[in-house]
Amino acid sequence: EFARGRAVVEHAGFVNAAALDAIAAALTKKYARPVTWVAKPNPALIAGVRVRVGDDTYESSVASQLTALAAAV
């Protein structure tokens, strides 16, 4: 249950608190329960973010797009 109330936001570059608060607000609305954030730098993403809430993962990173492109070729 604790994990469903926490968003782990992995990021490749700088992400300001306002952006992290906006992510938490959107997830709070989606899950209909308070969601807080924890930021973790991850340069392997190259650019973009990966957000994990419990078992759910939302990803918008260059690394994931390159992986998908390589699989398609």
Side-chain angles (χ1 to χ4, degrees):
E1 189 65 28
F2 172 74
R4 302 281 300 166
R6 184 177 70 169
V8 178
V9 182
E10 296 178 61
H11 54 90
F14 175 77
V15 179
N16 64 33
L20 294 167
D21 289 341
I23 291 169
L27 293 170
T28 293
K29 185 176 179 179
K30 177 178 178 59
Y31 290 107
R33 65 170 51 124
V35 176
T36 59
W37 55 265
V38 175
K40 292 190 176 185
N42 183 349
L45 296 178
I46 303 172
V49 297
R50 177 185 301 140
V51 181
R52 291 191 175 126
V53 180
D55 293 333
D56 298 333
T57 300
Y58 306 94
E59 184 160 354
S60 178
S61 70
V62 171
S64 69
Q65 293 172 13
L66 289 173
T67 300
L69 180 63
V73 177

